Amino acid sequence: MTRGEGHTPARRGREREPYDVFRSAPDTRSVWAELSAEVMEAVARCDAERLEVERSRVAPELRERITTPVYSVADRFASWERVVRRMEPGRSSDGFYPISAYENDLDSRDLLGQLMLGLPTEAREGTLGQLLTRLDERFAAASVPDPERSLRAWVRPTKASPEAELAEWWKRRPLRDPWD
């Protein structure tokens, strides 16, 4: 069997599983299965725009190889759910998670808010909006206010904004550090 004919490279002695955007994000997976055609079309438009941004950042000979965005709408929701799950008491971690990933997930949450504004009302007020609200509520329950900004030395938004304009998640500290 040659490479590419039904064989995936082994990783640490086991077969690599295909990428599953909803890995460890069961709530996002179930909501995604229920989205209407209209919402899925709007999500597909967001993903197409993101794909062009990601393609624009690589060498021309690599552009056509990239067929799906790394930071799709589904991936951003699933990532937010995964970090929230990591923070919740009694949850086991999902493997290595550096503090830089936490920073990335907070940035991604910022972008989710922007993406939601571009989706139809059905998405914002329906199951997708409700999922985001539930995940935000779980995040708040698994964190505490951090007026001292004790994580700021390690966790900073990538876009320069005055502290007062930052979203609530930047001003909280997890009760259980997800990077432990």
Side-chain angles (χ1 to χ4, degrees), residues 15 28 32-33 41 47-48 54 65 76 96 98 102-103 110 112-113 121 123 134 136 146 152 159 166 168 178:
E15 291 295 312
T28 302
W32 230 255
E41 288 171 16
D47 286 347
E54 291 179 16
R65 290 182 173 177
R76 289 184 190 280
F96 180 67
Y102 181 71
E103 174 182 73
D110 284 344
L112 267 177
T121 302
R134 283 192 312 272
D136 289 348
D146 185 19
R152 195 58 81 232
K159 291 186 179 170
L166 293 176
E168 185 63 24

Side-chain angles (χ1 to χ4, degrees), residues 48-58:
E49 290 172 16
R50 181 63 201 181
L51 178 60
E52 290 310 309
V53 168
E54 291 179 16
R55 281 179 167 173
S56 73
R57 295 177 177 167
V58 298

Side-chain angles (χ1 to χ4, degrees), residues 20-22 51 55 60 64 85 93-94 97 101 121-124 132 137 144 149 153 161 175:
D20 176 11
V21 70
F22 302 115
L51 178 60
R55 281 179 167 173
E64 295 309 311
R85 290 173 65 84
S93 67
D94 193 31
Y97 184 83
T121 302
E122 176 188 347
R124 291 190 311 272
L132 189 55
E137 289 169 351
V144 293
R149 308 297 183 256
S161 297
L175 289 168

Side-chain angles (χ1 to χ4, degrees), residues 59-72:
E61 60 272 10
L62 298 177
R63 285 188 186 133
E64 295 309 311
R65 290 182 173 177
I66 302 172
T67 58
T68 58
V70 172
Y71 292 106
S72 68

Side-chain angles (χ1 to χ4, degrees), residues 24-140:
S24 300
D27 296 340
T28 302
R29 179 186 303 276
S30 66
V31 164
W32 230 255
E34 298 173 11
L35 294 179
S36 71
E38 178 189 7
V39 171
M40 287 304 291
E41 288 171 16
V43 166
R45 285 191 298 275
C46 289
D47 286 347
E49 290 172 16
R50 181 63 201 181
L51 178 60
E52 290 310 309
V53 168
E54 291 179 16
R55 281 179 167 173
S56 73
R57 295 177 177 167
V58 298
E61 60 272 10
L62 298 177
R63 285 188 186 133
E64 295 309 311
R65 290 182 173 177
I66 302 172
T67 58
T68 58
V70 172
Y71 292 106
S72 68
V73 177
D75 185 70
R76 289 184 190 280
F77 268 93
S79 293
W80 188 234
E81 180 177 350
R82 280 191 291 271
V83 73
V84 167
R85 290 173 65 84
R86 283 179 167 279
M87 292 168 48
E88 292 174 325
R91 301 279 187 164
S92 62
S93 67
D94 193 31
F96 180 67
Y97 184 83
I99 196 166
S100 60
Y102 181 71
E103 174 182 73
N104 188 56
D105 286 335
L106 295 181
D107 268 330
S108 191
R109 173 56 187 90
D110 284 344
L111 289 170
L112 267 177
Q114 293 171 13
L115 286 170
M116 290 297 288
L117 294 174
L119 294 177
T121 302
E122 176 188 347
R124 291 190 311 272
E125 295 175 4
T127 56
L128 209 50
Q130 293 166 10
L131 171 64
L132 189 55
T133 298
R134 283 192 312 272
L135 293 174
D136 289 348
E137 289 169 351
R138 288 170 54 192
F139 177 87

